[in-house]
Amino acid sequence: AILFGRVTYGMFNDYWPAADPEKESVAGPIKRLRKYVVSSTLERAPWGEDGAALVMAADADQIRRRVEGEAGDVIVWGSLRLTELLFREHLVDELQLHIVPVVLGAGLPACPPGAAAARFTLLGSEQLAPDLLATRYAVERAGPPA
């Protein structure tokens, strides 16, 4: 499944439902994933002709039940404010970062303040292109959420 914050859902929904899998290698997998949107303002979250995403409130217990009830992995792509909540509630098992050396000079940090207490163990890294590095880290949990 894939879990979005409202803003990232909007960006994905503008492009991915109609993306051509022949041109975009991730279009097929994104299409097949069950989709959830965490939002306090949306009542519905349509997804092209493929139905809709389930909208949930930013309630940690509801998100925990959904995430823990999924049979496989739950991906969060972007959605840094949502990621803050997930780190704070100890709902992140693995952090994957794709590093492209472009300095913007402003914006949100790659890891939210809620990740500051987490410890990370490098699981692996791979150079995907001359300027792209993919890294995977296990997130060690210190204990139950506060």
Side-chain angles (χ1 to χ4, degrees), residues 54-132:
L54 175 71
V55 178
M56 298 186 290
D59 174 85
D61 290 331
Q62 182 182 13
I63 295 169
R64 178 178 283 105
R65 283 191 301 276
R66 287 286 178 187
V67 167
E68 292 175 350
E70 281 295 324
D73 293 333
V74 177
I75 300 165
V76 178
W77 203 329
S79 303
L80 293 177
R81 284 180 273 190
L82 172 58
T83 304
E84 164 70 22
L85 171 67
L86 299 175
F87 268 105
R88 190 173 60 243
E89 295 297 322
H90 303 283
L91 290 170
V92 180
D93 296 319
E94 184 173 306
L95 177 66
Q96 295 184 15
L97 299 173
H98 286 197
I99 302 164
V100 180
V102 175
V103 179
L104 300 176
L108 296 171
C111 287
R119 297 185 53 85
F120 302 94
T121 301
L122 181 65
L123 297 173
S125 63
E126 178 182 4
Q127 185 172 351
L128 301 178
D131 61 349
L132 177 60

